[in-house]
Amino acid sequence: MAAWGERLAGVRGVLLDISGVLYDSGEGGGKVIAGSVEAVARLKRSGLKVRFCTNESQKSRRLLVGELRHLGFDVSESEVTAPPPATCRILKERGLRPHLLVHDDVRSEFDEIDTSNPNCVVIADAGEGFSYQNMNEAFQVLMGLENPVLMSLGMGRYYKVTSGLMLDVGGYTKALEYACGIQAEVVGKPSPEFFKSALWEMGVEARQAIMIGDDIVGDVGGAQRCGMRALQVRTGKFRPSDEHHPEVKADGHVDNLAEAVDLLLQHADK
Amino acid sequence: MAARRALKAVLVDLNGTLHIEDAAVPGAQEALKRLRGTSVMVRFVTNTTKESKKDLLERLKKLEFDISEDEIFTSLTAARNLVEQKQVRPMLLVDDRALPDFKGIQTSDPNAVVIGLAPEHFHYQMLNQAFRLLLDGAPLIAIHKARYYKRKDGLALGPGPFVTALEYATDTKATVVGKPEKTFFLEALRGTGCDPEEAVMIGDDCRDDVGGAQNVGMLGILVKTGKYRATDEEKINPPPYLTCESFPHAVDHILQHLL
């Protein structure tokens, strides 16, 4: 593989995944990944543009940013690109009234959305909310619609919390797709529209941007398909087999965000 | 097609073929007796995820069918056989009523997952536990992959969606053991010592009973009882070896033409 200098040349903006890169979420507000608080601070001081690009759909941005700030991160809500606001925009544009299969902690993001007499289903990482009964209700809503629309906030397979790996929304979306014979619309990584809106909000073109994430398919593959470069960290949900993934090849692997920032500060935009 | 040999075994579906819920198909008990008067071996095969063999047998006895427990082969039996072959200790995501069919199987410190229709187990914690086992390399064995089923209060999710969820999350494929899988029919025949070319299957489900059996080289007879709907016989290619009114007619045909 080419030297880091070549791989990172011309980078002007950095998209950071949150869960598994900055911290592992979990009981009691989660746990910082060593070195990440300083790494974010150094990145922000460097003059490179920084934006947070997450598929977090279990909590509102307010709760998420509150958790991160409590852990010492310098981050504000306006710096975070997350699926719920993007979903709300789409719902309003298309006059859709969702049945929400979501966690209570994210419901406030949908406060302004009409949910009466639903004509679509929005599914997000509902955690314990993924009960048989709740899944069945969403299924029955979809089966009752002439043109069933299922909108999924991300399509992640699993993520890591302090107590171990957890099923993400993707499997549950697949379950409803299979049951109803339909295909969901995905809002969030790895959908190109989602990366593009994060780039637009950061004000950097794809070829000048790099994504740093722990998900080889959702973060790395998705960003690369948009013309960005992407690094995978060996933290969070990273598994050694990711380095030999049959379809996705990262532009580089780093042990953690701190190492990624070291390399970026050394080589980017030169 | 493989050369047909003298008929030695007959596989018979239960619900929809011998009986419909709690009523016997008219003349079915008599027909079964006639079949038993010949030299062929009879096995009863069914896709069930809830009813243990004991439950099935009780119902059949009530309807005055002359059947013994070791002649019944169900998708639960198939799952159990696979668990024994692989020598694994399964986490059993099955209805409590199905548990007797797994009696004696080691389930502590599980290293496999068996999944049937078990709404009471399909909550996040339980599925997450299964997910973690699969990610560590445990095999996933699905009794079947039905999308949904009909309940009194409307349609309800079957096991298929939850199998699909686990497959997606772990990037693996489940081994499905029920009809119409080839291994189901081969396993059902195993105890008889017969080859598929020496066997015939009688059932009311064109795809799962007849198509599945014919795919392994058996003859398939479709009966127009149970879930049969007009033109079902056109659903598979090659078509059923025979389509007839009901189980007694199928037995008549066997006695006259296949023995």
Side-chain angles (χ1 to χ4, degrees), chain A residues 121-158:
Chain A
V121 168
V122 165
I123 182 171
D125 173 16
E128 300 276 348
F130 283 131
S131 62
Y132 181 81
Q133 175 159 359
N134 287 345
M135 283 292 286
N136 214 37
E137 271 172 33
F139 163 71
Q140 287 176 341
V141 169
L142 288 168
M143 291 298 269
L145 295 172
E146 202 174 320
N147 295 306
V149 173
L150 174 62
M151 220 171 273
S152 181
L153 277 64
M155 204 54 205
R157 289 162 200 266
Y158 53 86

Side-chain angles (χ1 to χ4, degrees), chain A residues 36-247:
Chain A
S36 289
V37 171
E38 300 75 25
V40 171
R42 282 159 63 214
L43 203 52
K44 284 190 157 184
R45 279 199 306 270
S46 75
L48 288 169
K49 293 200 175 174
V50 180
R51 189 159 181 91
F52 302 89
C53 183
T54 178
N55 267 7
E56 176 63 62
S57 69
Q58 191 176 105
K59 29 181 130 46
S60 65
R61 280 167 303 162
R62 196 172 53 78
L63 286 173
L64 175 65
V65 164
E67 251 181 31
L68 291 171
R69 292 182 72 88
H70 185 74
L71 292 171
F73 286 101
D74 171 16
V75 52
S76 65
E77 271 183 65
S78 63
E79 294 174 301
V80 177
T81 300
T87 306
C88 289
R89 275 199 300 276
I90 297 170
L91 292 170
K92 283 181 190 163
E93 273 168 26
R94 289 165 50 184
L96 291 169
R97 300 177 306 276
H99 169 90
L100 295 172
L101 177 46
V102 303
H103 198 279
D104 281 343
D105 284 349
V106 79
R107 236 167 248 281
S108 63
E109 295 268 21
F110 298 92
D111 275 351
E112 290 174 16
I113 299 291
D114 178 8
T115 55
S116 62
N117 187 21
N119 57 5
C120 78
V121 168
V122 165
I123 182 171
D125 173 16
E128 300 276 348
F130 283 131
S131 62
Y132 181 81
Q133 175 159 359
N134 287 345
M135 283 292 286
N136 214 37
E137 271 172 33
F139 163 71
Q140 287 176 341
V141 169
L142 288 168
M143 291 298 269
L145 295 172
E146 202 174 320
N147 295 306
V149 173
L150 174 62
M151 220 171 273
S152 181
L153 277 64
M155 204 54 205
R157 289 162 200 266
Y158 53 86
Y159 57 90
K160 193 185 168 195
V161 300
T162 46
S163 64
L165 297 176
M166 308 297 281
L167 280 169
D168 200 352
V169 63
Y172 287 92
T173 300
K174 283 283 172 195
L176 291 176
E177 285 185 340
Y178 177 78
C180 306
I182 58 172
Q183 182 111 46
E185 301 174 31
V186 179
V187 183
K189 299 177 285 188
S191 119
E193 292 78 34
F194 192 72
F195 281 111
K196 279 180 203 154
S197 68
L199 286 171
W200 185 82
E201 285 155 343
M202 182 163 67
V204 172
E205 285 179 46
R207 60 187 174 82
Q208 296 175 316
I210 194 161
M211 171 81 210
I212 300 174
D214 67 334
D215 188 320
I216 187 70
V217 176
D219 292 327
V220 176
Q224 287 176 335
R225 259 188 293 138
C226 279
M228 300 168 61
R229 281 164 275 183
L231 304 180
Q232 189 185 20
V233 289
R234 296 190 184 96
T235 54
K237 76 177 88 167
F238 166 82
R239 290 159 66 86
S241 59
D242 291 347
E243 298 202 30
H244 315 283
H245 194 277
E247 280 131 47

Side-chain angles (χ1 to χ4, degrees), chain A residues 127-128 130-132 135-136 139-140 143 155-158 163-167 170-172 174-175 178-179 239, chain B residues 119 122-125 127-128 131-132 135 145 147-149 151 153-157 160-162 164-165 168-169 171:
Chain A
E128 300 276 348
F130 283 131
S131 62
Y132 181 81
M135 283 292 286
N136 214 37
F139 163 71
Q140 287 176 341
M143 291 298 269
M155 204 54 205
R157 289 162 200 266
Y158 53 86
S163 64
L165 297 176
M166 308 297 281
L167 280 169
Y172 287 92
K174 283 283 172 195
Y178 177 78
R239 290 159 66 86
Chain B
F122 291 159
H123 55 82
Y124 188 75
Q125 287 299 341
L127 285 176
N128 205 57
F131 154 73
R132 289 182 182 183
L135 217 48
K145 276 188 82 174
R147 290 173 160 77
Y148 50 83
Y149 66 106
R151 276 196 323 208
D153 61 342
L155 295 179
L157 290 167
F162 296 93
T164 308
Y168 176 77
D171 212 359

